[in-house]
């Protein structure tokens, strides 16, 4: 069975001290067993000795069983319901995108049938506890370590101490405890339901023939229109009809599909729309399972109370109050380049800076502006060049060609103005990646469908309204207070009375207010890497399990 490997490893020379410790502990119980224990003490000792030895290499298991005098949690007759609850959870692990085979339920069942001695029962006791801890770890906080999958996912995942988990489970109603392990956010339950629907669609053969066309528009007719209509019907966008015409009903269905997929909702099925229409339920299921893993990484964060939600592939920033979106604006996020992709993490927004100075990051200074200055010392004239003492230098007095990215001795900044690269306000949640939300003078980019153009920070389409919404809980006149600071035309800081959690996230599948799943492009390729890592860990698509 899968848990046998650790016991084999324990026989290596480096683990002899651990085995000796387990044996020593067991001997203590043997002494106790000779002091008036009733009949059956020898069997009880064999069980406890096996538990002590098997648990010795794992500090959490060793402490847990030592605390309870090596009494069973799983293998006694009285533990039948607890054991049944665990097997029920393990049997359904695949539905949540977990690596079901990792927990070895089939091998454990066989071991329970075959256990013919107290020693075998003791070893099985610890094997069951290990399977439980592995499942609890994955179901509560995810299968993967996110940063090991992609360096841009710098989210801190809350992991519970396994000893704490064991203690809590031993004192709880088993089924209730296991049900409470996955995220309690309503979006997780909605994604789980969507996964079930997608599995059923895949098992039923998908959504019909693909649409063989490059563009379809109202007024068109023919086989490709029929295929488009059939897929809209099977995906739930259109009532069952029989027509070869691209009529008004089909146009409205296509528009709804476009909205749900972050496309321009013109009702015309162009190349981009048709490519997404032709995706099968298996592809969508991958997005949903990855979204569930991402939510497990955030388990424990309160997504009901007031927070800022920045979904990178959705190109939006939202303020959420009591689980409802109360403000929303479009965004521009980092370019799809290794050093410019916006990272994923959570923090606390503490203040806004009105009329900000842009202190150009060193990386931008030497990679972008230094080459320009070497060609023309008056390039980027909107920026000040400052020496280490804070003095503005005369550009024409410096030979910039003598410097490299390593020894360039100056810094660059842009004073407050409407043309400042940060616009007229930035929103700060201080972090080591120097990421923040801000205004921008480059408004034209907000009209594009895919908006990945920044150096990593998040540009807001409606920064003033965003500021007013943030200030509303702390003042009766948020517009007046903000504008008073703005009219000074000098840099000043306006603190938030209560810091607001901010979550930079990356969900390509996410339920809307109705519970309908919306999909977005995998602009950085992160979801593909996550699903590959999940597959390597043992996650399989339910539709192809067998």
């Amino acid at each position: 069975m899968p848990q046998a490997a650790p016991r084999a490893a324990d026989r290596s020379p480096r683990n002899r001290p651990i085995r000796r410790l387990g044996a020593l502990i067991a001997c203590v119980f043997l002494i106790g067993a000779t002091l008036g224990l009733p009949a059956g003490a020898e069997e009880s000792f064999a069980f406890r000795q096996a538990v002590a030895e098997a648990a010795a290499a794992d500090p959490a298991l060793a402490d847990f069983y030592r605390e309870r005098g090596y009494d069973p949690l799983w293998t006694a007759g009285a533990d039948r319901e607890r054991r049944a609850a665990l097997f029920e959870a393990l049997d359904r692990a695949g539905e949540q995108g977990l690596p079901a085979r990792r927990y070895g339920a089939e091998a454990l069942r066989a071991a329970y049938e075959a256990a013919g001695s107290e020693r075998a029962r003791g070893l099985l006791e610890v094997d069951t506890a290990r399977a439980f801890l592995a499942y609890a770890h994955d179901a509560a906080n995810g299968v993967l370590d996110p940063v090991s999958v992609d360096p841009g996912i710098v989210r801190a995942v809350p992991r519970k101490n396994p000893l704490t988990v064991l203690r809590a489970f031993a004192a709880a109603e088993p089924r209730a405890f296991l049900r409470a392990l996955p995220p309690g956010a309503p979006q997780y339950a909605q994604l789980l339901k969507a996964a079930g629907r997608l599995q059923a669609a895949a098992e039923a053969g998908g959504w019909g023939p693909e649409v063989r066309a490059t563009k379809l528009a109202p007024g068109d007719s023919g086989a490709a229109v029929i295929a488009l209509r059939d897929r809209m019907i099977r995906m739930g966008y259109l009532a069952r009809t029989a027509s070869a015409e691209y009529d008004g009903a089909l146009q409205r269905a296509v528009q709804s599909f476009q909205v749900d997929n972050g496309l321009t909702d013109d009702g015309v099925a162009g190349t981009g729309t048709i490519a997404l229409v032709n995706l099968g339920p298996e592809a969508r299921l991958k997005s949903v399972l990855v979204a569930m893993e991402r939510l497990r990484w955030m388990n424990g964060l309160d997504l009901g109370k007031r927070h800022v939600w920045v979904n990178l592939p959705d190109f939006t920033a939202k303020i959420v109050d009591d689980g409802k979106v109360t403000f929303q604006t479009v965004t521009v996020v980092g370019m799809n380049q290794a050093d410019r992709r916006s990272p994923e993490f959570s923090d606390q927004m503490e203040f806004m800076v009105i009329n900000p100075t842009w202190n150009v990051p060193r990386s931008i200074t030497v990679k972008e502006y230094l080459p320009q200055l070497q060609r023309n010392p008056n390039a980027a004239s909107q920026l000040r060049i400052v020496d280490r003492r804070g003095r503005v230098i005369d550009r024409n007095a410096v030979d910039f060609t003598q410097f490299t990215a390593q020894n360039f001795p100056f810094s660059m900044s842009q004073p407050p103005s409407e043309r400042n690269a940060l616009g007229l306000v930035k929103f700060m949640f201080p972090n080591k990646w120097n990421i923040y939300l801000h205004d921008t003078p480059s408004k034209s980019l907000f009209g594009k469908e895919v908006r990945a153009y920044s150096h990593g920070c998040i540009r807001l389409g409606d920064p003033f309204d965003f500021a007013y919404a943030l200030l509303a809980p702390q003042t009766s006149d948020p517009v007046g207070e903000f504008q008073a600071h703005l009219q000074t035309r000098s840099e000043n800081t306006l603190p938030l009375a209560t810091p607001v959690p901010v979550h930079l996230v990356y969900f390509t599948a996410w339920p809307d207010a109705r519970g309908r799943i919306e999909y977005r492009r995998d602009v950085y390729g992160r979801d593909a890497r996550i699903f590959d890592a999940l597959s390597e860990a043992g996650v399989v698509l339910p539709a192809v399990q067998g």
Side-chain angles (χ1 to χ4, degrees), residues 20-30 45 48 52 56 62 66 70:
R20 289 168 182 161
L21 176 61
L24 178 60
I25 294 170
C27 285
V28 172
F29 277 91
L30 177 60
F45 165 71
R48 285 171 166 76
R66 184 168 55 248
Y70 299 90

Side-chain angles (χ1 to χ4, degrees), residues 94 195-196 198-204 281-282 285 289 540-546:
L198 290 166
Q199 176 187 352
E203 292 173 343
E282 296 89 349
L285 182 56
L289 295 180
V540 296
L541 292 178
V544 296
Q545 283 181 342

Side-chain angles (χ1 to χ4, degrees), residues 136-144 157-160 293 296-297 299:
H137 171 282
D138 294 352
N141 298 117
V143 177
L144 306 173
V157 179
R159 300 287 189 188
K160 292 183 179 179
E293 173 73 359
R296 287 191 287 264
W297 294 341
N299 197 4

